[in-house]
Amino acid sequence: GRLDLFVRGELAEEFPGLDLVIPVGLKGADMYVPTAPVRDAIRLILKGMQEYPEYPRVVFSFYEDEIGGGFLRSTLSVTQVGSFPSHTLSRDMSRLSEGDGGTFGTIRKHLSGLCEWSVVTKWPDNAEPRRWRISGAETLPEISPASVAEGFTHIISIYHKP
């Protein structure tokens, strides 16, 4: 139940160059998950975004939906509006599969076993936006179409009991 305070307080102070847009609904975010690795992953995401100061607007969104069996899926997305990669999706995928995978590899280590993590954007080698599932349910396709890409979006989905 402290996600709102973390984003509005700690992250806003830590990343003053980013214009963080935080929804009111974030205040009600309450889920059972080890917070340290999720916080570390969000920090790494924002550190990566601050490397592109020409795109300072970063929009957070949060929603929950019931998935059956008494479980909820809480989804946090972080979008750097207008920022799109200049390199190919295949390059990103190859880089992550080799060695430590850089920042994405570190984020994946933090979130592994805790939640699903995907990236949605429009890579220059694809005519349409794509969703790249980096960690989570192996039953889902690794690459799938996305309806829209407003920039570079990280999506973290946590499954839990209410």
Side-chain angles (χ1 to χ4, degrees):
R2 313 236 346 135
L3 184 59
D4 183 68
L5 294 174
F6 171 63
V7 174
R8 287 183 196 281
E10 290 178 46
L11 294 181
E13 285 181 26
E14 195 172 331
F15 300 97
L18 296 176
D19 174 21
L20 303 182
V21 179
I22 306 158
V24 173
L26 196 58
K27 193 168 191 147
D30 188 19
M31 66 213 87
Y32 181 76
V33 66
T35 59
V38 174
R39 287 173 177 239
D40 290 344
I42 294 169
R43 277 193 174 94
L44 284 169
I45 289 167
L46 292 179
K47 281 182 184 177
M49 289 179 172
Q50 95 180 343
E51 292 176 15
Y52 301 93
E54 63 274 25
Y55 304 105
R57 188 172 174 86
V58 176
V59 177
F60 283 80
S61 68
F62 177 81
Y63 64 90
E64 289 184 325
D65 53 333
E66 294 183 32
I67 58 167
F71 283 88
L72 292 175
R73 176 177 48 215
S74 295
T75 302
L76 175 70
S77 69
V78 184
T79 301
Q80 187 168 27
V81 178
S83 178
F84 295 93
S86 58
H87 41 77
T88 65
L89 173 58
S90 58
R91 175 204 171 260
D92 285 348
M93 293 176 74
S94 175
R95 190 161 177 238
L96 185 59
S97 68
E98 298 169 0
D100 67 2
T103 302
F104 270 32
T106 305
I107 293 169
R108 183 173 59 185
K109 285 177 191 170
H110 284 304
L111 298 178
S112 180
L114 297 177
C115 56
E116 291 179 353
W117 171 44
S118 298
V119 170
V120 173
T121 193
K122 188 175 179 310
W123 281 271
D125 56 336
N126 288 281
E128 300 294 324
R130 297 280 179 247
R131 179 185 189 110
W132 175 23
R133 180 193 47 79
I134 299 171
S135 68
E138 298 292 327
T139 57
L140 299 173
E142 185 175 13
I143 304 297
S144 58
S147 58
V148 66
E150 297 175 356
F152 202 91
T153 301
H154 294 264
I155 301 169
I156 299 170
S157 296
I158 299 168
Y159 296 84
H160 61 96
K161 292 266 188 179

